[in-house]
Amino acid sequence: MDDATERVPMAGYGKRPGWATAALLAVGAPLAGLALIVAQAALNAYGPSTLAGNWAGKALLFVMMMAGYALLVFTQLRYDNLLVFFGAFFLLGIGATMVAGAVSDQALHERGRTTACTVQKVDRREVTSTDSDGNTTTHVYYDHDLACAEPRVRTMTTGSRAAGRGERVQVMYDPRGRLGPRPAGSVGDPGTSLRRGAALFGGGVLLRVLFELNVPPLGPGRGLWLGRRRRRRSVRVRPPSP
């Protein structure tokens, strides 16, 4: 009786979504997220002053940025192949940040000015955030109190110590006050940042597309997985009695 037993897959189990859904998740979602992130950076740098001059405008810009990164992060949970999950996660996140940074760098190249400053004090500050899964991330910031030739520039916040107390540093600032002051040497070439960011972002999208196309070792059921492998369940169907 067992020799006559046939194994057939359960209907619908493991069925991949249609090409339209796959394209939306692999390409449409990250492009929409990038558009929101870049639009937020453009509005912050070039938008009307009333947008950044009140709490409602600042809240809108913050929501746009968070919504953009949320589209990148939460749709990434679909790709449980280890290589695709971490590879696309870093490529998309870093690429989008570099493209948005190119917008800010361009604004500073167009209207930024440089002033000589002396560091009066440097305070190290840590900010810890917790995501929906309970994972915590700590960011370190350095707040510099400055005495500058341009009296409007009094403080500068960076991700690393720009100079010690009593040292001099060249600071680039935005006369319109839309962008925060930063060390002049940290303002990169917008074109280079844009090209590199776009290349990284495109690499992340490509990994997602290869996953959807089931290309080894990136496709579903192949390569390294974030947890237990998917198993195709089956049921036994007995032939009809004679």
Side-chain angles (χ1 to χ4, degrees):
M1 182 67 67
D2 289 340
D3 293 338
T5 301
E6 298 180 2
R7 288 180 177 271
V8 297
M10 291 183 65
Y13 184 81
K15 184 179 180 182
R16 302 292 296 165
W19 66 267
T21 302
L24 179 63
L25 292 170
V27 182
L31 288 180
L34 178 64
L36 283 171
I37 294 169
V38 173
Q40 184 271 342
L43 288 173
N44 187 52
Y46 295 101
S49 57
T50 55
L51 188 63
N54 58 82
W55 68 268
K58 293 180 180 179
L60 175 61
L61 294 176
F62 178 78
V63 169
M64 288 178 63
M65 180 183 66
M66 295 304 296
Y69 280 107
L71 277 173
L72 302 182
V73 172
F74 289 109
T75 56
Q76 189 64 23
L77 298 177
R78 162 182 172 78
Y79 302 95
D80 50 0
N81 180 290
L82 189 65
L83 299 176
V84 178
F85 180 84
F86 286 106
F89 179 82
F90 286 109
L91 289 175
L92 293 174
I94 296 174
T97 301
M98 290 184 68
V99 173
V103 177
S104 300
D105 289 345
Q106 180 63 33
L108 285 177
H109 274 277
E110 291 176 359
R111 63 175 187 260
R113 298 177 183 175
T114 303
T115 182
C117 303
T118 301
V119 178
Q120 303 293 302
K121 184 176 65 170
V122 182
D123 292 326
R124 185 178 185 274
R125 173 167 53 92
E126 295 185 359
V127 177
T128 301
S129 58
T130 305
D131 60 21
S132 58
D133 296 325
N135 301 315
T136 60
T137 303
T138 300
H139 298 279
V140 178
Y141 299 96
Y142 291 85
D143 299 320
H144 300 74
D145 288 344
L146 305 173
C148 302
E150 169 53 60
R152 289 179 295 177
V153 182
R154 299 178 180 178
T155 61
M156 175 179 66
T157 299
T158 59
S160 60
R161 186 185 297 268
R165 181 179 180 180
E167 296 181 346
R168 294 182 64 81
V169 60
Q170 294 293 315
V171 174
M172 181 168 284
Y173 67 97
D174 179 7
R176 292 177 56 185
R178 302 296 299 273
L179 302 172
R182 64 182 72 175
S186 69
V187 181
D189 175 60
T192 301
S193 298
L194 179 60
R195 289 190 295 270
R196 292 177 179 176
L200 291 174
F201 191 87
V205 172
L206 178 61
L207 286 178
R208 288 190 175 196
V209 171
L210 293 177
F211 177 93
E212 300 295 350
L213 294 177
N214 201 16
V215 176
L218 305 177
R222 303 177 185 274
L224 302 174
W225 288 81
L226 291 172
R228 302 174 61 181
R229 278 183 172 272
R230 296 176 179 177
R231 294 182 179 179
R232 183 181 294 275
R233 296 187 298 176
S234 62
V235 295
R236 294 190 174 189
V237 178
R238 297 180 181 273
S241 300

